[in-house]
Amino acid sequence: MDSKLLELLVCPVTKGPLTYDRERQELVSRSARLAYPVRDGIPILLEEEARTLTDAELEG
C-alpha cells in the first residue's frame, strides 16, 4: 500500500484515519470498528464489504 495514498484515504463511515494491516491486507478504522479489505492492491472502501473488528483486535 502506497503511504501517500494511505494519507489521502479516510473511513467512509466516520471520515477518520485508516491504518494498513499488511498481514491481513486490510485498512482498519478503529473509530468505526471496521476493517476494509484490500484486493489486488485496491482498497475496497464499502461498508458492506468491511468486517467488524473484535474487542481483542481493538485492544491489540
Side-chain angles (χ1 to χ4, degrees):
M1 176 69 46
D2 181 10
S3 61
K4 295 283 187 199
L5 177 61
L6 188 55
E7 289 175 18
L8 298 173
L9 295 176
V10 296
C11 173
V13 175
T14 65
K15 308 298 186 246
L18 295 167
T19 56
Y20 182 54
D21 182 337
R22 186 180 310 274
E23 184 179 307
R24 290 183 177 254
Q25 292 290 297
E26 294 176 326
L27 289 172
V28 177
S29 171
R30 295 180 67 79
S31 57
R33 300 178 61 103
L34 295 172
Y36 299 93
V38 177
R39 298 187 188 125
D40 298 321
I42 300 169
I44 312 298
L45 297 176
L46 299 172
E47 187 175 0
E48 56 270 13
E49 291 285 329
R51 70 177 182 84
T52 303
L53 296 172
T54 64
D55 288 340
E57 288 174 306
L58 286 170
E59 292 171 5

